[in-house]
Amino acid sequence: MPEKTLDPTPGQTIGPFYAYGTVYPKMHEVAHPYSPGAIVLGGTVYDGGGAPIPDSMVEIFGADADGSVPRARGAFRRDDHSFTGFGRSFTTDEGRYEFWTRNPGAEAGKAAFFAVVVFARGLPDKLHTRIYLPDDEAALAADPLLSSLSAAERATLVATRLPDGSLQHDIRLQGEGETVFLTF
């Protein structure tokens, strides 16, 4: 019997072709750059071998600075003044993603975070995770998800605040320091 020579189809593997139909202007600008309260959230997406992934896509959704869930229209049509909470960023050739956004607010005593979805080649489905703000130690310690994890696992979900106020957070899909992913 001859060997099968069929190529994988888009339903069997993920590659750079998922970008079709997902690109729109200013998609990484959740908040207008340099507007009051705007910050940069960025990092690098790494594979299991520690190499940057140049063709992944990261999506975030976060509350506004006051903790309210954005209801403004325009998630896919930016108007340069509405905060929509949602953004999408493709990684660069060096695996870097970047968003202009705001620090999400949280209810009193709760930890503030961004909900994150990662798409990358070789993944049969998207991955869900969170990026927590590092600023409120008490809220981080009381968070039900974070308190259920080891210290090393918690560290994969908490961003680093840089001196300029921006946030740095790398996402590791496998291997040492693998980001904690959630079942959704």
Side-chain angles (χ1 to χ4, degrees):
M1 181 164 195
E3 250 185 71
K4 290 185 178 185
T5 59
L6 300 176
D7 291 329
T9 66
Q12 296 169 312
T13 186
I14 290 184
F17 44 80
Y18 60 72
Y20 296 112
T22 61
V23 176
Y24 56 96
K26 304 180 185 181
M27 63 187 191
H28 71 291
E29 293 181 12
V30 182
H32 186 66
Y34 309 108
S35 64
I39 63 161
V40 173
L41 164 64
T44 302
V45 180
Y46 293 99
D47 66 16
I53 300 176
D55 58 355
S56 60
M57 182 173 71
V58 179
E59 295 180 341
I60 63 167
F61 184 80
D64 205 341
D66 63 1
S68 63
V69 175
R71 304 273 186 230
R73 294 183 56 111
F76 298 110
R77 292 179 309 279
R78 304 296 193 207
D79 63 12
D80 293 339
H81 65 273
S82 297
F83 178 80
T84 63
F86 175 79
R88 180 179 288 153
S89 176
F90 287 97
T91 55
T92 64
D93 288 345
E94 293 78 35
R96 180 139 179 94
Y97 69 92
E98 192 170 275
F99 295 95
W100 277 98
T101 187
R102 293 185 185 146
N103 291 312
E107 294 177 34
K110 299 209 175 183
F113 66 87
F114 296 95
V116 181
V117 177
V118 180
F119 298 84
R121 61 182 141 93
L123 293 178
D125 200 1
K126 62 193 174 292
L127 298 173
H128 294 263
T129 189
R130 291 179 174 181
I131 299 174
Y132 285 87
L133 272 63
D135 309 313
D136 187 341
E137 289 292 331
L140 292 172
D143 184 81
L145 171 62
L146 292 176
S147 63
S148 72
L149 302 173
S150 71
E153 290 169 327
R154 277 193 301 276
T156 71
L157 297 179
V158 180
T160 300
R161 178 80 61 190
L162 301 178
D164 65 1
S166 64
L167 293 168
Q168 169 69 30
H169 185 77
D170 294 337
I171 300 169
R172 298 181 187 282
L173 300 186
Q174 290 180 313
E176 188 176 335
E178 177 180 333
T179 299
V180 171
F181 295 102
L182 310 171
T183 302
F184 185 76

